[in-house]
Amino acid sequence: MFTEIMAAAGVLALLTVVPGPDMAVVTKRAVSAGWHDGLRTVGGITAGLLVWGVLTVAGLAAVLAASATAYTVVKLLGAGYLLFLGAQALWQSRRGGRPAAAAPDATTPRGNPWRTGLVSNVLNPKIAVFYTGLLPTLAPHSLPSHLGMALLAVLHAALTLVWLGGYVMVLAKARAFFERPTVRRVLDRVTGVVLIGFGLKVATADS
């Protein structure tokens, strides 16, 4: 069983480090508001993964993955949220070059960072497809199916927490650089475009 778990951990680790909407959301929050908000956003993302883990074990994620209507509704909600975050970043970039004394909070994102991470993850139907399609094939055969999938869901959440948490701390070390008005403006524009791109990709993706 240990060998199976380690093999599954390797696959999950590779999937975790691939850049995606979660990393873009974390980057935007950590650079704009600091590492505290960045870690809270990571906490929300991790909680979202655990929500999907529970739904997968309960069988509800499979229903979503199999229902074209339910999948489309969640997909469009998730795409709309990513588009909103991207548009917000682009709007903030218009004021990102102003002196800090003139607009101290102009580029600070609004809203609860934990909720931002949670919502962006819960409204990603690809996780439902990923969990229901991949986790059963990676689960240790020596464990009951639901226990094996639950174990891997927790493992994936833990890997995400460590990876994105470490990423936030790296960003924190370089925050003085990112706080330069020109750099902040460029970063807001880049993250805004990336988030909008992910939003359009989610909206146009097939189930």
Side-chain angles (χ1 to χ4, degrees):
M1 184 176 72
F2 177 77
T3 302
E4 291 178 308
I5 292 176
M6 293 305 296
V11 174
L12 293 174
L14 289 175
L15 294 172
T16 299
V17 301
V18 173
D22 289 345
M23 183 169 284
V25 171
V26 168
T27 300
K28 175 178 179 293
R29 198 84 203 197
V31 171
S32 299
W35 66 272
H36 291 90
D37 270 20
L39 290 181
R40 292 189 185 101
T41 306
V42 173
I45 289 170
T46 303
L49 290 175
L50 292 175
V51 169
W52 279 116
V54 171
L55 293 177
T56 300
V57 174
L60 298 179
V63 174
L64 173 62
S67 171
T69 301
Y71 181 90
T72 300
V73 170
V74 176
K75 179 181 72 173
L76 293 178
L77 287 173
Y81 190 66
L82 290 175
L83 291 172
F84 165 75
L85 293 177
Q88 184 184 60
L90 290 178
W91 176 257
Q92 289 168 352
S93 74
R94 299 178 59 191
R95 298 178 289 180
R98 296 183 182 179
D105 297 318
T107 59
T108 301
R110 297 179 180 179
N112 184 288
W114 189 88
R115 185 172 61 245
T116 297
L118 176 68
V119 173
S120 67
N121 209 278
V122 168
L123 292 181
N124 185 357
K126 287 296 183 182
I127 300 178
V129 177
F130 164 65
Y131 273 15
T132 57
L134 184 61
L135 292 191
T137 66
L138 295 176
H141 297 297
S142 57
L143 292 176
S145 177
H146 66 284
L147 289 180
M149 288 192 295
L151 174 63
L152 294 186
V154 171
L155 178 59
H156 184 223
L159 289 170
T160 300
L161 180 64
V162 172
W163 169 250
L164 290 181
Y167 175 66
V168 166
M169 300 314 295
V170 170
L171 289 177
K173 295 293 184 181
R175 196 183 178 202
F177 170 77
F178 290 118
E179 284 182 334
R180 297 176 183 176
T182 301
V183 175
R184 174 70 67 83
R185 184 168 59 247
V186 171
L187 185 64
D188 279 340
R189 289 176 180 175
V190 170
T191 54
V193 170
V194 169
L195 285 168
I196 290 174
F198 278 124
L200 293 175
K201 182 178 180 181
V202 169
T204 57
D206 295 328
S207 59

